[in-house]
Amino acid sequence: MVVRKKQLITFIMTVLMFHLSFIAFREEYFVGFLKIQRYAAIALVGLVFININAFIKKENCLINIILILLSVSVGYSSWMNKDLSGYGLINIIFSVVKTVAPLIALEYACEVKEEKTAIRVLFACTLIYCFIADVHGFSTGFIGQNKSNLLLGNKFNLSYLHIFSVALYANICEEKTKKVNTTLIVLWGIAFFIAITSTCTTAAVACGLFAVLYLFQEKFEKIILNPIVAIVLILFCDSLLFINSAILTWGPINSFIVNFLHEDTTLTGRMMIYQNVLKLLMMNPWFGFGAENNYTMSHTVAMGMNTQNGLADIIVSYGVVGACLILLLMVVSLLKRKEDYSRSYMALMYTFIIVSMVEITLGNYFLITLALLAFVENGNRSN
């Protein structure tokens, strides 16, 4: 098989993007991985400049403008709070590249008609790391201990990487005009099993949501294609528990949390965190504190490892300005593929939106989902 130049570049950019945006080894498992990521960021930026013609197409003009504004906003958030993190200019640029890498890599793949290559590389990388992380977690007994000592960090990273693999394979099934097959069911079952055994309740719920949204999408297709619906749903879901926590005491919801999820009605301490999050959001509302300071500020002010809320998490990192740019990117992504969107990525996007009520699912996974929606059609294009 002859490997074309554009195919090779797509392969390299996708691998670089994946390791930049989705892999975060704990330092004790891979000393120096952060340095390797910085080299990967430099390589990705270099490839963008070498192939700059692929990024100046008229049809992607609006998305690229938003990306530039988001990059400036993310960089400004980090620069204005560099005293908190101790970050210099190089580290700030690195943070910006990590944020926009998924959209850059997939935009290139789309423009050179190598979406199939990008999806298969992403799927292969996801499977490889899921397998390695699972073997490590079960062999060490760390899975199920509810600690952050897994190979890829914590149970959230591992569980949602599995869910991402399900969505990628579901898109490959669309290419073959098969909505569901045995492999897809097995991958979904593994994702659900990992979520349960690692005690990541939100991921278990996300598995169920994704299955429902994927299988029955046609019944409410016109609704979910409306960008206003997506925006309203984010605002509703992510403000509900701040405004009215009494909803958790309502019979059916209380029974679902206590009897089915086996959690308490504080949602494992989330309600106590939410009491402090509003104070945190008002401290630097417009541009936030920078992603690298998110943990520090959440731990210090909100008394949690993070805000346990998707929209609040973005505002802490990038402020209202950054959050609005990400929502605008979502609107443009939905409009761009309105006629030939991928069912799997649409289901994944709405899964992340709903779960963001109690989890920080509007970060890197959400951004790559938007990129996949914008640049990959239903079943992909033929090379």
Side-chain angles (χ1 to χ4, degrees), residues 290-363:
E292 63 278 1
N293 298 312
N294 188 304
Y295 172 80
T296 300
M297 297 307 299
S298 296
H299 183 72
T300 304
V301 180
M303 307 302 174
M305 292 181 66
N306 55 66
T307 63
Q308 301 293 331
N309 179 282
L311 190 57
D313 183 70
I314 292 175
I315 295 174
V316 171
S317 293
Y318 311 129
V320 172
V321 173
C324 287
L325 288 170
I326 290 174
L327 292 181
L328 182 58
L329 189 62
M330 178 185 70
V331 170
V332 174
S333 297
L334 284 170
L335 293 175
K336 184 176 173 62
R337 285 294 185 192
K338 194 169 184 179
E339 301 300 326
D340 55 4
Y341 70 95
S342 166
R343 292 189 300 270
S344 62
Y345 303 140
M346 184 69 74
L348 189 62
M349 185 194 78
Y350 274 98
T351 296
F352 286 150
I353 287 175
I354 296 171
V355 177
S356 70
M357 179 189 297
V358 291
E359 191 62 273
I360 53 170
T361 52
L362 299 183

Side-chain angles (χ1 to χ4, degrees), residues 29-50:
Y29 298 133
F30 198 145
V31 178
F33 183 68
L34 185 59
K35 183 179 292 186
I36 293 175
Q37 281 188 311
R38 288 172 183 161
Y39 289 132
I42 294 171
L44 184 61
V45 172
L47 285 172
V48 169
F49 280 106
I50 292 172

Side-chain angles (χ1 to χ4, degrees), residues 25-31 136 140 142 149-153:
F25 285 111
R26 291 183 61 83
E27 187 68 19
E28 62 263 34
Y29 298 133
F30 198 145
V31 178
H136 173 269
T140 58
F142 289 157
N149 51 5
L150 296 172
L151 183 67
L152 300 181

Side-chain angles (χ1 to χ4, degrees), residues 163-188:
I163 295 173
F164 187 58
S165 73
V166 176
L168 289 171
Y169 187 74
N171 177 251
I172 294 173
C173 289
E174 291 170 12
E175 176 192 339
K176 300 175 181 178
T177 67
K178 292 181 180 179
K179 195 170 184 179
V180 178
N181 62 23
T182 305
T183 304
L184 182 58
I185 295 172
V186 169
L187 285 173
W188 184 91

Side-chain angles (χ1 to χ4, degrees), residues 36 78-79 91 95 102 131-132 134 152 167 175 191 206 218 221 262 277 281 291 329 339 344 362 379:
I36 293 175
S78 296
W79 180 258
N91 285 329
S95 295
F131 177 76
I132 294 172
D134 290 348
L152 300 181
E175 176 192 339
E218 291 85 354
E221 183 178 47
H262 302 293
V277 166
L281 297 181
L329 189 62
E339 301 300 326
S344 62
L362 299 183

Side-chain angles (χ1 to χ4, degrees), residues 156 160 163 199-207 270 308 355 358-359 361:
F156 174 92
Y160 281 89
I163 295 173
T199 68
C200 189
T201 308
T202 63
V205 172
C207 283
R270 283 174 169 83
Q308 301 293 331
V355 177
V358 291
E359 191 62 273
T361 52

Side-chain angles (χ1 to χ4, degrees), residues 72-344:
V72 172
S73 175
V74 170
Y76 183 77
S77 299
S78 296
W79 180 258
M80 292 303 293
N81 296 279
K82 61 183 185 296
D83 291 340
L84 282 173
S85 62
Y87 269 27
L89 181 60
I90 300 299
N91 285 329
I92 291 172
I93 294 173
F94 172 62
S95 295
V96 172
V97 174
K98 282 181 65 176
T99 303
V100 300
L103 290 119
I104 291 173
L106 287 167
E107 180 178 344
Y108 176 82
C110 176
E111 288 309 312
V112 299
K113 296 180 173 57
E114 289 289 348
E115 301 102 312
K116 281 186 179 181
T117 300
I119 296 303
R120 281 161 171 71
V121 171
L122 269 178
F123 182 59
C125 288
T126 303
L127 283 187
I128 290 169
Y129 277 99
C130 281
F131 177 76
I132 294 172
D134 290 348
V135 170
H136 173 269
F138 284 113
S139 64
T140 58
F142 289 157
I143 287 183
Q145 291 187 6
N146 200 25
K147 296 180 180 179
S148 297
N149 51 5
L150 296 172
L151 183 67
L152 300 181
N154 55 36
K155 60 185 181 181
F156 174 92
N157 296 340
L158 178 60
S159 298
Y160 281 89
L161 191 63
H162 273 280
I163 295 173
F164 187 58
S165 73
V166 176
L168 289 171
Y169 187 74
N171 177 251
I172 294 173
C173 289
E174 291 170 12
E175 176 192 339
K176 300 175 181 178
T177 67
K178 292 181 180 179
K179 195 170 184 179
V180 178
N181 62 23
T182 305
T183 304
L184 182 58
I185 295 172
V186 169
L187 285 173
W188 184 91
I190 293 172
F192 186 74
F193 174 74
I194 292 296
I196 293 296
T197 54
S198 64
T199 68
C200 189
T201 308
T202 63
V205 172
C207 283
L209 279 172
F210 176 80
V212 171
L213 290 168
Y214 180 65
L215 293 174
F216 303 104
Q217 199 168 122
E218 291 85 354
K219 296 183 182 300
F220 36 83
E221 183 178 47
K222 292 183 179 179
I223 297 174
I224 63 175
L225 284 173
N226 190 335
I228 295 176
V229 172
I231 291 176
V232 170
L233 189 61
I234 287 179
L235 296 177
F236 173 76
C237 288
D238 288 33
S239 63
L240 182 62
L241 294 180
F242 286 100
I243 296 172
N244 186 16
S245 60
I247 193 173
L248 298 178
T249 62
W250 183 45
I253 293 180
N254 183 276
S255 178
F256 177 74
I257 294 172
V258 176
N259 298 324
F260 183 76
L261 298 180
H262 302 293
E263 301 284 359
D264 59 81
T265 51
T266 69
L267 300 178
T268 59
R270 283 174 169 83
M271 299 311 299
M272 290 178 282
I273 293 173
Y274 294 158
Q275 294 175 7
N276 299 313
V277 166
L278 288 176
K279 180 169 64 175
L280 173 59
L281 297 181
M282 295 307 296
M283 290 174 64
N284 203 355
W286 293 112
F287 290 97
F289 295 94
E292 63 278 1
N293 298 312
N294 188 304
Y295 172 80
T296 300
M297 297 307 299
S298 296
H299 183 72
T300 304
V301 180
M303 307 302 174
M305 292 181 66
N306 55 66
T307 63
Q308 301 293 331
N309 179 282
L311 190 57
D313 183 70
I314 292 175
I315 295 174
V316 171
S317 293
Y318 311 129
V320 172
V321 173
C324 287
L325 288 170
I326 290 174
L327 292 181
L328 182 58
L329 189 62
M330 178 185 70
V331 170
V332 174
S333 297
L334 284 170
L335 293 175
K336 184 176 173 62
R337 285 294 185 192
K338 194 169 184 179
E339 301 300 326
D340 55 4
Y341 70 95
S342 166
R343 292 189 300 270
S344 62

